Amino acid sequence: MKRDSKRQQAGRGRLKRSGRESTMLWTVLLALLVLLLLQTQLCVCLRELRAAGSSSPPSRSRNATQQRLPGAIIIGVRKGGTRALLEMLNLHPDVEVAKAEVHYFNMEEHYRRGLAWYRAQMPFTLPGQLTVEKTPGYFASPQVPERVWEMNPAVRLLLIVRDPAERLVSDYTQVLHNRVTRHKPYQPLEELLFRQGHINPAYKALQRSLYHQHLDRWLDVFPREQVHVVDGEALIRHPFPELRRAERFLDLPPRIAPSNFYFNTTKGFYCLLSAGGHDKCLDESKGRPHAPLSSQAFRKLCRYFREPNRLFFEMVGRSFCWC
């Protein structure tokens, strides 16, 4: 009996030692696993640090930037040169632009999403950089001036204008091109522009060219000094002087130079050259040949715009060589 008892005790001792050894083994394995995980994480961190060191300068890193509401908005006019103005302003190192038209203030489905959604459409900028957005549909939308004021009463507004008769024909040409591309019918311009030989005041493209009516709504909300008028024709012919005036209006240091522009003889207008040597021309839709309009119809259109143009010139304190 004593020998049996001793054998049982010896067996229990061996089981205890075996249990301790098993526990120690699992502990060692767990420790090794933790060390492997830590080593893997360390390698990832080192790779990220090396990548950050070899990438663009920290001043352009998203970690050092954030999305901000625009300090300036190009509000119009449609087919007046808003894309050209935006791309030219983007040459300035202190300017970042929203690449697409946001249509926040003039489209209810966007406006209902709130300022957080609007801010999320903006580019990443550093403190001190100016965010610029452009949506030419803002200018002629009655509800927009109040909404922009509520967003930021100090925002700078840029309005680029061109001959309203030429703008109307360009407006029609774009709509016609879009309809033809989708294989949809569209009326000739003179059928839309005239009713029984007289100008049709209900034609939307005509209404968009009545600059004085739309600007009057903006000046009911914003002081005149917060609206800068850009000559669209001058911007295309000689871009540098117009860009220098825009820089002054936006309180930007003069950084855009004549060397940022070169004339493209194939396209027939100026293209852009950034400080890094990258050139950019406006897309194929710019400079598209206008839809046909008889000279007699164009003269009638010019006569129609004489008084609206005069009122607009008085409002902005300058005149333009329009038809």
Side-chain angles (χ1 to χ4, degrees), residues 37-290:
L37 289 172
L38 289 172
Q39 185 181 20
T40 302
Q41 187 63 39
L42 180 61
C43 290
V44 171
C45 291
L46 288 173
R47 281 199 299 271
E48 288 179 351
L49 287 172
R50 283 195 294 269
S54 62
S55 62
S56 57
S59 62
R60 296 295 178 186
S61 168
R62 284 197 172 190
N63 292 332
T65 62
Q66 60 179 289
Q67 290 167 298
R68 295 174 173 85
L69 292 172
I73 302 176
I74 300 173
I75 58 174
V77 299
R78 173 171 158 145
K79 304 307 296 178
T82 58
R83 173 55 60 180
L85 178 58
L86 186 79
E87 296 292 351
M88 291 176 185
L89 286 174
N90 200 32
L91 291 168
H92 200 290
D94 293 339
V95 171
E96 292 290 344
V97 304
K99 301 303 181 185
E101 295 177 6
V102 183
H103 290 278
Y104 173 66
F105 297 103
N106 66 327
M107 292 184 67
E108 295 305 317
E109 59 267 36
H110 291 170
Y111 191 68
R112 284 195 294 267
R113 295 178 178 182
L115 282 177
W117 179 87
Y118 184 47
R119 185 184 288 108
Q121 314 310 307
M122 297 301 116
F124 284 81
T125 56
L126 291 161
Q129 283 189 309
L130 177 69
T131 298
V132 180
E133 189 244 316
K134 80 102 176 171
T135 300
Y138 289 162
F139 182 56
S141 298
Q143 74 275 24
V144 171
E146 286 282 355
R147 290 177 172 182
V148 174
W149 173 270
E150 290 171 3
M151 185 270 296
N152 179 8
V155 69
R156 309 288 179 97
L157 306 170
L158 295 118
L159 174 67
I160 180 167
V161 293
R162 65 186 291 197
D163 185 316
E166 294 285 352
R167 193 221 66 81
L168 181 152
V169 179
S170 182
D171 195 331
Y172 169 86
T173 302
Q174 177 173 304
V175 175
L176 175 65
H177 175 79
N178 293 340
R179 300 281 295 188
V180 170
T181 302
R182 297 185 181 102
H183 306 288
K184 293 183 178 181
Y186 201 63
Q187 289 178 265
L189 176 54
E190 291 194 32
E191 289 184 12
L192 294 167
L193 185 57
F194 295 98
R195 289 287 185 270
Q196 298 178 343
H198 299 284
I199 293 286
N200 174 20
Y203 180 38
K204 285 186 178 180
L206 180 83
Q207 293 174 356
R208 294 188 191 106
S209 283
L210 299 175
Y211 302 154
H212 72 292
Q213 292 183 0
H214 308 304
L215 182 59
D216 189 53
R217 285 195 297 269
W218 286 90
L219 296 184
D220 280 343
V221 179
F222 288 93
R224 172 67 184 87
E225 57 269 21
Q226 272 179 246
V227 182
H228 177 66
V229 179
V230 177
D231 184 340
E233 273 98 5
L235 185 75
I236 298 303
R237 291 193 309 269
H238 305 290
F240 175 67
E242 286 298 320
L243 264 294
R244 181 50 52 88
R245 294 185 190 99
E247 282 179 323
R248 287 196 292 266
F249 170 72
L250 296 171
D251 288 332
L252 293 168
R255 295 288 184 270
I256 300 174
S259 58
N260 288 123
F261 307 95
Y262 70 94
F263 190 78
N264 186 308
T265 53
T266 303
K267 291 180 174 293
F269 50 78
Y270 280 88
C271 296
L272 315 181
L273 191 64
S274 70
H278 302 292
D279 65 337
K280 181 172 186 177
C281 290
L282 299 178
D283 63 42
E284 297 299 325
S285 68
K286 309 305 176 186
R288 181 186 290 136
H290 280 180

